[in-house]
Amino acid sequence: MAQLIDGKAISAAVREEIREDCEKLVRETGVRPGLAVIIVGEDPASQIYVRNKEKACQEVGFLSRTYRLAADTKQEQLEELIDELNRDKEIHGILVQLPLPDHLDGNALLLRIKPEKDVDAFHPFNVGQIMIGNYDLAPCTPAGVMVLLEKSGISVAGKRCVVVGRSNIVGKPQAMLLLHANGTVTIAHSKTKDLADLTRQAQVLVVAVRHPKLITGNMVSEGVVVIDVGMNRDEAGKLCGDVDFDSVAPKASYITPVPGGVGPMTITMLMKNTLTAARRAAKEI
Ligand code: GUN
């Protein structure tokens, strides 16, 4: 039976490190990390994420500002707000909560955020830096996965890593981070033929496709490390991942549960990125 990777415990430990580092930064430079979150409309899941971000900021001692805007907010208003936050010395990280209402051009908004304040690491400048391997801001979820692996003492160097999913938020950057850690990486997606053939070759398997219980026990090999990024509801309305935990766990060496695996790490890495951005700003004062 697999060892569980306890994302809650690892996240709490990393947050404590961030809280101490924040205190030190304030003491030594007078700079307190500040995060601005922009949320447009009433998407219920987004409301919960944003509240959790506020709580996390409080926990680690950051300044937190949330801009809750009406669903019919105009593109120009958002661009003006981003310009203002780009200039704001108290704010080191700017995050536009996704998804956005359809009438808004999310890409244009991402491009508007100063790359130094882009704590999601979604701006093409940061995406390029990640590709090159010269980055200190990495997208929160894939970065959180790397921390889970490290803190569990799992090295991916030289191992066959399979990432299922090719989104800009998780799959693609995850593949790059694993590659930088010297994994041999394959990306699978909805058009991949013989997915099971490929996943059976994986020594490290990261799944991020938003498809409940896609990966079943017969699709993995004995001893695989399984990281489940999925967050879905099953037929009974119960939270579940992209991995069928009950059939996969007996074959895996390590596995993340859902909930309590990758989920708690994402916001923790957002705090880490905000701290990194604030430290950089403090050096430039
Ligand atoms: N919505 C769901 N996940 C994310 C994320 O990582 N960043 C942002 N900005 N919005 C999200």
Side-chain angles (χ1 to χ4, degrees):
M1 188 69 176
Q3 195 163 321
L4 274 190
I5 298 179
D6 185 346
K8 259 185 162 167
I10 294 174
S11 174
V14 176
R15 276 192 206 189
E16 177 53 25
E17 284 170 25
I18 295 170
R19 192 189 64 74
E20 287 166 17
D21 287 348
C22 169
E23 227 173 59
K24 185 160 173 267
L25 185 68
V26 174
R27 203 168 50 235
E28 291 178 355
T29 69
V31 171
R32 182 175 297 281
L35 174 67
V37 173
I38 303 171
I39 174 167
V40 187
E42 305 291 328
D43 180 65
S46 293
Q47 302 280 344
I48 295 171
Y49 286 137
V50 168
R51 234 174 296 133
N52 286 337
K53 284 168 193 166
E54 289 171 320
K55 270 197 239 160
C57 280
Q58 221 169 27
E59 206 182 307
V60 296
F62 291 2
L63 169 75
S64 155
R65 273 199 238 145
T66 306
Y67 296 84
R68 291 186 167 79
L69 305 176
D72 62 356
T73 301
K74 298 215 160 41
Q75 181 83 12
E76 301 76 56
Q77 281 172 274
L78 280 164
E79 289 178 357
E80 273 168 31
L81 174 57
I82 290 171
D83 291 347
E84 209 177 287
L85 293 170
N86 278 338
R87 289 188 297 267
D88 191 326
K89 294 263 187 285
E90 282 190 351
I91 294 299
H92 308 100
I94 304 170
L95 180 146
V96 178
Q97 185 64 37
L98 303 174
L100 287 164
D102 289 342
H103 70 280
L104 293 170
D105 178 353
N107 222 23
L109 296 177
L110 285 186
L111 278 168
R112 197 96 180 184
I113 297 173
K114 251 196 195 171
E116 304 93 283
K117 296 194 179 191
D118 167 38
V119 284
D120 262 328
F122 292 167
H123 189 290
F125 175 82
N126 287 322
V127 175
Q129 291 292 80
I130 291 159
M131 186 90 175
I132 294 164
N134 175 30
Y135 58 93
D136 53 10
L137 297 175
C140 302
T141 300
V145 168
M146 299 311 288
V147 172
L148 288 179
L149 292 169
E150 281 157 29
K151 298 271 182 191
S152 305
I154 300 161
S155 165
V156 303
K159 298 214 175 110
R160 288 189 301 276
C161 305
V162 174
V163 178
V164 186
R166 56 173 157 180
S167 71
N168 290 330
I169 296 183
V170 184
K172 279 190 238 171
Q174 186 71 73
M176 291 313 302
L177 300 193
L178 289 165
L179 181 63
H180 293 318
N182 297 316
T184 301
V185 185
T186 307
I187 306 176
H189 46 78
S190 54
K191 303 289 187 292
T192 296
K193 295 231 163 41
D194 300 323
L195 177 64
D197 244 18
L198 192 66
T199 54
R200 267 186 226 115
Q201 291 174 41
Q203 295 173 290
V204 177
L205 181 63
V206 182
V207 194
V209 282
R210 290 209 198 161
H211 186 304
K213 303 184 188 179
L214 174 72
I215 306 295
T216 48
N218 61 334
M219 296 171 72
V220 300
S221 290
E222 214 52 59
V224 62
V225 173
V226 179
I227 306 288
D228 188 351
V229 183
M231 180 62 85
N232 316 292
R233 299 226 172 242
D234 67 11
E235 321 79 49
K238 209 175 137 229
L239 277 181
C240 72
D242 293 346
V243 173
D244 178 36
F245 187 90
D246 292 342
S247 65
V248 171
K251 293 178 84 176
S253 56
Y254 290 86
I255 190 166
T256 58
V258 175
V262 176
M265 288 306 293
T266 299
I267 291 180
T268 297
M269 297 316 287
L270 176 67
M271 299 299 114
K272 177 104 185 171
N273 280 346
T274 306
L275 175 69
T276 300
R279 276 181 169 154
R280 220 164 32 189
K283 278 202 193 116
E284 284 161 15
I285 289 170

